[in-house]
Amino acid sequence: MRAIIILVFIAFACGAASAQQEQNFTPAPGGTFQAKQDSATSQATAAHQARFWTAYSFDVRPGVAVDVDFVSDDGHFTIQGTWDVSDSGFMMNYPGIETHSLGVFALRDSAGRVERVDIYNLARRHEYAGYPVYWLGRIGNEESLNFLRAVAESAKTEDLAGEAVRAIALHDDRRVPEVLEHVAQTSTFEGVRARAVRGLGDPPVSDATRQYLALAARDERESLEVRRAAISAYGRSRDAQALQFLQTLYSSLANRDLRRAALASVARNDDRAAATAFVVKVATQ
């Protein structure tokens, strides 16, 4: 069964490069990212399209599986959203499930304004809600991050801003933490700020990012949702530094929900003996 799964995903990966042609995406020519977006809008306007997608590929960070199919042990196909391979023992057993070819799909109105953002696996076919897709090609990380950051900042709905943040976190780029921190500090949506903070726990995590998460976890002026996200993100490192921080943080917290979040992260630490000893100590106090 495992061999079958891996072969299925190798086949998907091999077809990813030509997926946009196979799915009849319409190319949007242009010398720059903005020129390609303008070209797509012009073509959609000429075709009297009320809504249309613009889509492009980007550099995907390692260790994630997005928009994938796999054959489960009972023979059924299962479709999931986003998995982090590094956080799932199941995924570690199936390395072929990791996704390497993803596209940012922006649904736009007739004027070109972004109404929705989705991430799709380019190796899989979708109906895209029946709207045409204009293909922009491969876009550099900086342009992609700037575009998604602008969407997250200007979005009128939490869903749109949250999906832009999800797309940002999937990029393989050293500037991602900086962008996520900016969104976490400026977004008017509490859920979006929490989502950005959770994204900061994606490896590798720098010392500067750990310091930011530690401050956010302790900040009593911050919402409980954002503080829980910071605790969870810090705990995903699962190393000795994370264990020490979480143990100290647990002892300093007054809020029961936050203490529970810290304790849950302690329990997942890689130092099983030390983590178990701390949890038992807390349980017997």
Side-chain angles (χ1 to χ4, degrees):
M1 180 61 69
R2 175 177 176 179
I4 293 174
I5 294 172
I6 292 175
L7 286 173
V8 168
F9 281 95
I10 289 175
F12 282 159
C14 291
S18 59
Q20 59 271 23
Q21 288 82 11
E22 293 175 0
Q23 297 189 54
N24 296 319
F25 295 166
T26 302
T32 66
F33 183 32
Q34 186 58 55
K36 292 178 179 181
Q37 294 179 83
D38 293 341
S39 172
T41 301
S42 296
Q43 292 184 69
T45 299
H48 305 290
Q49 299 290 346
R51 286 185 173 83
F52 63 97
W53 297 93
T54 56
Y56 63 86
S57 61
F58 61 97
D59 292 339
V60 182
R61 71 178 178 88
V64 294
V66 181
D67 183 25
V68 296
D69 288 350
F70 76 96
V71 183
S72 59
D73 291 338
D74 61 5
H76 289 87
F77 273 91
T78 302
I79 301 177
Q80 297 289 341
T82 302
W83 290 338
D84 193 313
V85 176
S86 62
D87 275 359
S88 172
F90 174 82
M91 298 301 242
M92 290 298 289
N93 292 328
Y94 301 99
I97 210 169
E98 184 177 2
T99 312
H100 300 283
S101 184
L102 296 177
V104 173
F105 286 69
L107 183 64
R108 300 169 182 264
D109 63 16
S110 58
R113 291 182 292 262
V114 177
E115 296 182 333
R116 171 177 156 192
V117 170
D118 283 319
I119 303 295
Y120 289 119
N121 184 347
L122 293 172
R124 295 188 61 225
R125 297 186 67 87
H126 292 276
E127 295 184 2
Y128 306 108
Y131 299 119
V133 178
Y134 293 90
W135 181 249
L136 311 183
R138 190 168 193 85
I139 300 301
N141 284 352
E142 184 173 5
E143 289 182 306
S144 179
L145 290 173
N146 287 341
F147 166 70
L148 292 167
R149 172 175 165 172
V151 171
E153 290 177 339
S154 62
K156 297 297 191 294
T157 67
E158 184 169 339
D159 285 345
L160 175 56
E163 285 305 303
V165 169
R166 174 183 174 234
I168 290 168
L170 287 169
H171 281 63
D172 184 18
D173 194 278
R174 61 178 177 80
R175 290 163 290 200
V176 166
E178 177 185 345
V179 178
L180 291 177
E181 284 187 27
H182 176 80
V183 174
Q185 293 168 352
T186 60
S187 178
T188 58
F189 300 110
E190 182 179 328
V192 172
R193 291 191 292 114
R195 188 165 197 166
V197 168
R198 280 193 296 273
L200 291 170
D202 296 333
V205 181
S206 67
D207 290 340
T209 297
R210 289 194 194 225
Q211 183 177 6
Y212 174 83
L213 292 173
L215 291 173
R218 292 190 178 103
D219 189 353
E220 296 185 353
R221 298 167 299 177
E222 187 55 90
S223 71
L224 291 180
E225 184 176 1
V226 171
R227 293 179 71 186
R228 278 195 299 268
I231 292 170
S232 176
Y234 200 116
R236 286 179 60 191
S237 295
R238 299 183 181 178
D239 55 15
Q241 182 178 342
L243 180 60
Q244 181 179 5
F245 167 75
L246 292 166
Q247 290 173 331
T248 302
L249 179 68
Y250 178 87
S251 301
S252 68
L253 293 171
N255 183 274
R256 294 185 63 182
D257 287 342
L258 296 179
R259 285 165 69 90
R260 188 179 298 112
L263 195 61
S265 291
V266 167
R268 291 192 292 266
N269 194 269
D270 287 341
D271 188 341
R272 306 305 303 163
T276 300
F278 185 80
V279 171
V280 170
K281 178 182 176 182
V282 169
T284 56
Q285 284 179 342

Coordinates of all heavy atoms in Angstrom, one line a residue, residues 171-235:
H171 N 5.3 29.9 1.5 CA 6.5 30.3 0.7 C 7.8 29.9 1.3 O 7.9 29.9 2.6 CB 6.5 31.8 0.5 CG 5.5 32.3 -0.5 ND1 4.2 32.1 -0.4 CD2 5.7 32.9 -1.8 CE1 3.6 32.7 -1.5 NE2 4.5 33.1 -2.3
D172 N 8.7 29.5 0.5 CA 10.1 29.1 1.0 C 10.9 30.3 0.8 O 11.6 30.5 -0.2 CB 10.6 27.9 0.1 CG 12.0 27.4 0.6 OD1 12.3 27.8 1.8 OD2 12.7 26.8 -0.1
D173 N 10.9 31.2 1.8 CA 11.7 32.5 1.7 C 12.0 33.0 3.1 O 11.1 32.9 4.0 CB 10.8 33.5 0.9 CG 11.6 34.7 0.5 OD1 11.9 35.6 1.3 OD2 12.1 34.7 -0.7
R174 N 13.2 33.5 3.3 CA 13.6 34.0 4.6 C 12.8 35.3 5.0 O 12.8 35.6 6.2 CB 15.1 34.4 4.5 CG 15.5 35.4 3.5 CD 17.0 35.8 3.5 NE 17.3 36.8 2.5 CZ 17.1 38.1 2.7 NH1 16.6 38.5 3.8 NH2 17.5 38.9 1.7
R175 N 12.1 35.9 4.1 CA 11.3 37.1 4.4 C 10.0 36.8 5.0 O 9.2 37.7 5.5 CB 11.2 38.0 3.2 CG 12.5 38.7 2.8 CD 12.4 39.2 1.4 NE 12.4 38.1 0.4 CZ 12.7 38.2 -0.9 NH1 13.1 39.4 -1.3 NH2 12.7 37.2 -1.7
V176 N 9.6 35.5 5.0 CA 8.2 35.1 5.4 C 7.9 35.6 6.9 O 6.9 36.1 7.2 CB 8.0 33.6 5.2 CG1 6.7 33.2 6.0 CG2 7.8 33.3 3.8
P177 N 8.9 35.3 7.8 CA 8.6 35.7 9.2 C 8.4 37.2 9.4 O 7.5 37.6 10.1 CB 9.9 35.2 10.0 CG 10.4 34.1 9.2 CD 10.1 34.5 7.7
E178 N 9.1 38.0 8.6 CA 9.0 39.4 8.7 C 7.6 39.8 8.2 O 6.9 40.7 8.9 CB 10.0 40.1 7.8 CG 9.9 41.6 7.8 CD 10.9 42.3 6.8 OE1 11.8 41.6 6.4 OE2 10.7 43.4 6.5
V179 N 7.1 39.2 7.1 CA 5.8 39.5 6.6 C 4.7 39.1 7.6 O 3.7 39.8 7.9 CB 5.6 38.9 5.2 CG1 4.1 39.2 4.7 CG2 6.6 39.4 4.2
L180 N 4.8 37.9 8.1 CA 3.8 37.4 9.1 C 3.8 38.2 10.4 O 2.7 38.5 10.9 CB 4.2 35.9 9.4 CG 4.0 34.9 8.3 CD1 4.4 33.5 8.8 CD2 2.5 34.9 7.9
E181 N 5.0 38.7 10.9 CA 5.0 39.5 12.0 C 4.2 40.8 11.8 O 3.5 41.3 12.6 CB 6.4 39.8 12.5 CG 7.1 38.6 13.2 CD 8.4 39.0 13.8 OE1 8.6 40.2 14.1 OE2 9.3 38.1 13.9
H182 N 4.5 41.4 10.6 CA 3.8 42.6 10.2 C 2.3 42.5 10.2 O 1.5 43.3 10.8 CB 4.2 43.1 8.8 CG 3.5 44.3 8.4 ND1 3.9 45.6 8.8 CD2 2.5 44.5 7.5 CE1 3.1 46.5 8.2 NE2 2.2 45.8 7.5
V183 N 1.8 41.4 9.6 CA 0.3 41.1 9.6 C -0.2 40.9 11.0 O -1.2 41.4 11.4 CB 0.0 39.9 8.7 CG1 -1.5 39.5 8.8 CG2 0.4 40.2 7.3
A184 N 0.6 40.1 11.9 CA 0.2 39.9 13.2 C 0.1 41.1 14.1 O -0.7 41.2 15.0 CB 1.2 38.9 13.9
Q185 N 0.8 42.1 13.7 CA 0.8 43.4 14.5 C -0.2 44.4 14.0 O -0.6 45.3 14.7 CB 2.2 44.0 14.5 CG 3.3 43.2 15.2 CD 4.7 43.7 14.9 OE1 4.9 44.5 14.1 NE2 5.7 43.1 15.7
T186 N -0.6 44.3 12.7 CA -1.4 45.3 12.1 C -2.8 44.9 11.7 O -3.7 45.8 11.5 CB -0.7 45.9 10.9 OG1 -0.5 44.8 9.9 CG2 0.7 46.5 11.2
S187 N -3.1 43.6 11.5 CA -4.4 43.2 11.0 C -5.5 43.6 12.0 O -5.3 43.5 13.3 CB -4.5 41.7 10.8 OG -5.8 41.3 10.4
T188 N -6.6 44.0 11.5 CA -7.8 44.3 12.4 C -8.6 43.1 12.8 O -9.5 43.2 13.6 CB -8.7 45.3 11.7 OG1 -9.2 44.8 10.4 CG2 -8.0 46.6 11.3
F189 N -8.3 42.0 12.2 CA -9.0 40.7 12.5 C -8.2 39.9 13.4 O -7.0 39.5 13.2 CB -9.2 39.9 11.2 CG -10.0 40.6 10.1 CD1 -9.4 41.1 9.0 CD2 -11.4 40.9 10.3 CE1 -10.2 41.7 8.0 CE2 -12.1 41.5 9.4 CZ -11.5 42.0 8.2
E190 N -8.8 39.6 14.6 CA -8.1 38.8 15.6 C -7.7 37.4 15.1 O -6.6 37.0 15.3 CB -8.9 38.7 16.8 CG -8.3 37.9 18.0 CD -9.2 37.8 19.2 OE1 -10.0 38.8 19.4 OE2 -9.1 36.8 19.9
G191 N -8.6 36.8 14.4 CA -8.3 35.5 13.8 C -7.1 35.5 12.8 O -6.3 34.5 12.8
V192 N -7.0 36.5 12.1 CA -5.9 36.6 11.1 C -4.6 36.9 11.8 O -3.6 36.3 11.4 CB -6.2 37.8 10.1 CG1 -5.0 38.1 9.2 CG2 -7.4 37.5 9.3
R193 N -4.6 37.7 12.8 CA -3.4 37.9 13.6 C -2.9 36.6 14.3 O -1.7 36.3 14.3 CB -3.6 39.0 14.7 CG -3.8 40.4 14.1 CD -3.7 41.5 15.1 NE -4.9 41.4 16.0 CZ -4.8 41.2 17.3 NH1 -3.7 40.9 17.9 NH2 -5.9 41.2 18.0
A194 N -3.9 35.8 14.8 CA -3.5 34.5 15.4 C -3.0 33.6 14.3 O -2.0 32.8 14.6 CB -4.8 33.9 16.1
R195 N -3.6 33.6 13.1 CA -3.1 32.7 12.1 C -1.7 33.0 11.7 O -0.8 32.2 11.4 CB -4.0 32.8 10.9 CG -3.8 31.8 9.8 CD -4.9 31.7 8.8 NE -4.8 30.4 8.0 CZ -5.8 29.9 7.3 NH1 -7.0 30.6 7.3 NH2 -5.7 28.8 6.6
A196 N -1.4 34.3 11.6 CA 0.0 34.8 11.2 C 1.0 34.3 12.3 O 2.1 33.9 12.0 CB 0.0 36.3 11.1
V197 N 0.6 34.5 13.6 CA 1.4 34.0 14.7 C 1.7 32.5 14.6 O 2.8 32.1 14.8 CB 0.8 34.5 16.0 CG1 1.6 33.8 17.2 CG2 0.9 36.0 16.2
R198 N 0.7 31.8 14.3 CA 0.9 30.3 14.2 C 1.8 30.0 13.1 O 2.6 29.0 13.2 CB -0.5 29.6 14.0 CG -1.3 29.4 15.2 CD -2.5 28.4 15.0 NE -3.4 28.9 14.0 CZ -4.5 29.7 14.3 NH1 -4.7 30.1 15.6 NH2 -5.3 30.1 13.4
G199 N 1.8 30.7 12.0 CA 2.7 30.5 10.9 C 4.1 30.7 11.2 O 5.0 30.2 10.6
L200 N 4.4 31.5 12.3 CA 5.8 31.8 12.7 C 6.4 30.5 13.3 O 7.6 30.5 13.5 CB 5.8 32.9 13.7 CG 5.5 34.3 13.1 CD1 5.3 35.3 14.2 CD2 6.6 34.7 12.1
G201 N 5.6 29.5 13.6 CA 6.2 28.3 14.2 C 6.7 27.3 13.1 O 7.2 26.3 13.5
D202 N 6.4 27.7 11.8 CA 6.9 26.8 10.8 C 8.4 26.8 10.7 O 9.1 27.8 10.8 CB 6.4 27.2 9.4 CG 4.9 27.1 9.3 OD1 4.3 26.3 10.0 OD2 4.3 27.9 8.5
P203 N 9.1 25.6 10.7 CA 10.5 25.6 10.7 C 11.1 26.1 9.4 O 10.4 26.0 8.3 CB 10.8 24.1 10.9 CG 9.6 23.4 10.4 CD 8.5 24.3 10.7
P204 N 12.4 26.6 9.4 CA 13.2 26.8 10.6 C 12.8 28.1 11.4 O 12.3 29.0 10.7 CB 14.6 26.9 10.0 CG 14.4 27.5 8.7 CD 13.1 27.0 8.2
V205 N 12.9 28.1 12.7 CA 12.5 29.2 13.5 C 13.8 29.9 14.0 O 14.6 29.3 14.7 CB 11.6 28.8 14.7 CG1 11.2 30.0 15.5 CG2 10.4 28.1 14.1
S206 N 13.9 31.2 13.7 CA 15.1 31.9 14.2 C 15.0 32.3 15.6 O 13.9 32.3 16.2 CB 15.4 33.1 13.3 OG 14.3 34.1 13.5
D207 N 16.1 32.7 16.2 CA 16.1 33.2 17.6 C 15.3 34.5 17.7 O 14.6 34.7 18.7 CB 17.5 33.5 18.1 CG 18.4 32.3 18.3 OD1 17.8 31.2 18.4 OD2 19.6 32.3 18.3
A208 N 15.3 35.3 16.7 CA 14.5 36.6 16.7 C 13.0 36.2 16.7 O 12.2 36.9 17.4 CB 14.9 37.4 15.5
T209 N 12.6 35.2 15.9 CA 11.2 34.8 15.9 C 10.8 34.2 17.2 O 9.7 34.5 17.7 CB 11.0 33.8 14.7 OG1 11.3 34.5 13.5 CG2 9.5 33.3 14.7
R210 N 11.7 33.4 17.8 CA 11.3 32.9 19.1 C 11.1 34.0 20.1 O 10.2 33.9 21.0 CB 12.5 31.9 19.6 CG 12.6 30.6 18.8 CD 13.5 29.7 19.6 NE 13.9 28.5 18.8 CZ 13.9 27.3 19.3 NH1 13.5 27.0 20.5 NH2 14.3 26.3 18.5
Q211 N 12.0 35.0 20.1 CA 11.8 36.1 21.0 C 10.5 36.8 20.8 O 9.8 37.2 21.8 CB 13.0 37.1 20.8 CG 13.0 38.3 21.8 CD 14.1 39.2 21.6 OE1 14.9 39.0 20.7 NE2 14.3 40.1 22.5
Y212 N 10.1 37.0 19.5 CA 8.8 37.6 19.2 C 7.7 36.8 19.8 O 6.7 37.3 20.4 CB 8.6 37.8 17.7 CG 7.3 38.3 17.4 CD1 7.0 39.7 17.4 CD2 6.3 37.4 17.0 CE1 5.7 40.1 17.1 CE2 5.0 37.9 16.6 CZ 4.7 39.2 16.7 OH 3.5 39.7 16.4
L213 N 7.7 35.5 19.6 CA 6.7 34.6 20.1 C 6.6 34.6 21.6 O 5.5 34.5 22.2 CB 6.9 33.1 19.6 CG 6.7 32.9 18.0 CD1 7.2 31.5 17.7 CD2 5.3 33.2 17.6
A214 N 7.7 34.6 22.2 CA 7.8 34.6 23.7 C 7.1 35.9 24.2 O 6.3 35.9 25.2 CB 9.2 34.5 24.2
L215 N 7.4 37.0 23.6 CA 6.8 38.3 24.0 C 5.3 38.3 23.8 O 4.5 38.7 24.6 CB 7.4 39.5 23.3 CG 8.9 39.8 23.6 CD1 9.5 40.8 22.6 CD2 9.0 40.3 25.0
A216 N 4.9 37.7 22.6 CA 3.4 37.7 22.3 C 2.7 36.8 23.3 O 1.6 37.0 23.8 CB 3.2 37.2 20.9
A217 N 3.3 35.7 23.7 CA 2.7 34.7 24.6 C 2.5 35.3 26.0 O 1.6 35.0 26.7 CB 3.6 33.5 24.8
R218 N 3.4 36.2 26.4 CA 3.4 36.8 27.7 C 2.6 38.1 27.8 O 2.3 38.6 28.9 CB 4.8 37.1 28.2 CG 5.6 35.9 28.5 CD 6.9 36.3 29.2 NE 7.8 35.2 29.6 CZ 8.9 34.8 28.9 NH1 9.2 35.5 27.9 NH2 9.6 33.8 29.3
D219 N 2.3 38.7 26.6 CA 1.7 40.0 26.5 C 0.2 40.0 27.0 O -0.7 39.5 26.3 CB 1.7 40.5 25.1 CG 1.3 42.0 25.0 OD1 0.9 42.6 26.0 OD2 1.5 42.5 23.9
E220 N 0.0 40.5 28.2 CA -1.4 40.5 28.8 C -2.3 41.5 28.1 O -3.5 41.4 28.3 CB -1.3 40.8 30.3 CG -0.6 39.7 31.0 CD -0.6 39.9 32.5 OE1 -1.1 41.0 33.0 OE2 -0.1 39.1 33.3
R221 N -1.8 42.4 27.2 CA -2.6 43.3 26.5 C -3.2 42.6 25.2 O -4.1 43.1 24.6 CB -1.8 44.5 26.1 CG -1.3 45.3 27.3 CD -0.3 46.4 26.8 NE 0.8 45.7 26.2 CZ 1.9 46.4 25.7 NH1 1.9 47.7 25.6 NH2 2.9 45.7 25.1
E222 N -2.6 41.5 24.9 CA -2.9 40.8 23.6 C -4.1 39.8 23.9 O -4.4 39.5 25.1 CB -1.7 40.0 23.1 CG -1.9 39.3 21.8 CD -2.3 40.3 20.7 OE1 -1.4 40.8 20.0 OE2 -3.6 40.4 20.5
S223 N -4.9 39.5 22.9 CA -6.0 38.6 23.0 C -5.6 37.2 23.4 O -4.5 36.8 23.1 CB -6.8 38.6 21.7 OG -6.1 37.9 20.7
L224 N -6.5 36.4 24.0 CA -6.2 35.1 24.3 C -5.9 34.2 23.1 O -5.1 33.3 23.1 CB -7.3 34.5 25.2 CG -7.6 35.0 26.6 CD1 -8.7 34.3 27.2 CD2 -6.3 34.9 27.4
E225 N -6.6 34.5 22.0 CA -6.5 33.7 20.8 C -5.0 33.9 20.3 O -4.4 32.9 19.9 CB -7.5 34.1 19.7 CG -7.4 33.2 18.5 CD -8.5 33.5 17.5 OE1 -9.3 34.4 17.7 OE2 -8.5 32.9 16.4
V226 N -4.6 35.1 20.2 CA -3.2 35.3 19.7 C -2.2 34.8 20.7 O -1.2 34.2 20.2 CB -3.0 36.8 19.5 CG1 -1.5 37.1 19.2 CG2 -3.9 37.3 18.4
R227 N -2.4 34.9 22.0 CA -1.4 34.3 22.9 C -1.4 32.8 22.8 O -0.3 32.2 22.9 CB -1.8 34.8 24.3 CG -1.6 36.3 24.6 CD -2.0 36.7 26.0 NE -1.0 36.2 26.9 CZ -1.1 36.4 28.2 NH1 -2.2 36.9 28.8 NH2 -0.2 35.9 29.1
R228 N -2.5 32.2 22.7 CA -2.5 30.7 22.5 C -1.8 30.3 21.2 O -1.0 29.3 21.2 CB -4.0 30.2 22.4 CG -4.7 30.0 23.7 CD -5.9 29.1 23.6 NE -6.9 29.8 22.7 CZ -7.9 30.6 23.1 NH1 -8.0 30.8 24.4 NH2 -8.7 31.1 22.3
A229 N -2.0 31.1 20.2 CA -1.2 30.8 18.9 C 0.3 30.9 19.1 O 1.0 30.1 18.6 CB -1.7 31.8 17.8
A230 N 0.7 31.9 19.9 CA 2.1 32.1 20.1 C 2.7 31.0 20.9 O 3.8 30.5 20.6 CB 2.3 33.4 20.9
I231 N 2.0 30.5 21.9 CA 2.4 29.3 22.7 C 2.5 28.1 21.8 O 3.5 27.4 21.9 CB 1.4 29.1 23.9 CG1 1.5 30.3 24.9 CG2 1.7 27.8 24.6 CD1 0.4 30.2 25.9
S232 N 1.5 27.9 21.0 CA 1.6 26.7 20.1 C 2.7 26.8 19.1 O 3.4 25.8 18.9 CB 0.2 26.6 19.4 OG 0.3 25.5 18.5
A233 N 2.9 28.0 18.6 CA 4.0 28.2 17.6 C 5.3 27.9 18.2 O 6.2 27.3 17.6 CB 3.9 29.5 17.0
Y234 N 5.6 28.5 19.4 CA 6.8 28.3 20.1 C 7.1 26.8 20.4 O 8.2 26.3 20.2 CB 6.9 29.1 21.3 CG 8.3 29.4 21.9 CD1 8.8 30.7 21.9 CD2 9.1 28.3 22.3 CE1 10.1 30.9 22.4 CE2 10.4 28.6 22.7 CZ 10.9 29.9 22.8 OH 12.1 30.1 23.2
G235 N 6.0 26.1 20.8 CA 6.1 24.7 21.2 C 6.4 23.8 20.0 O 6.9 22.7 20.2

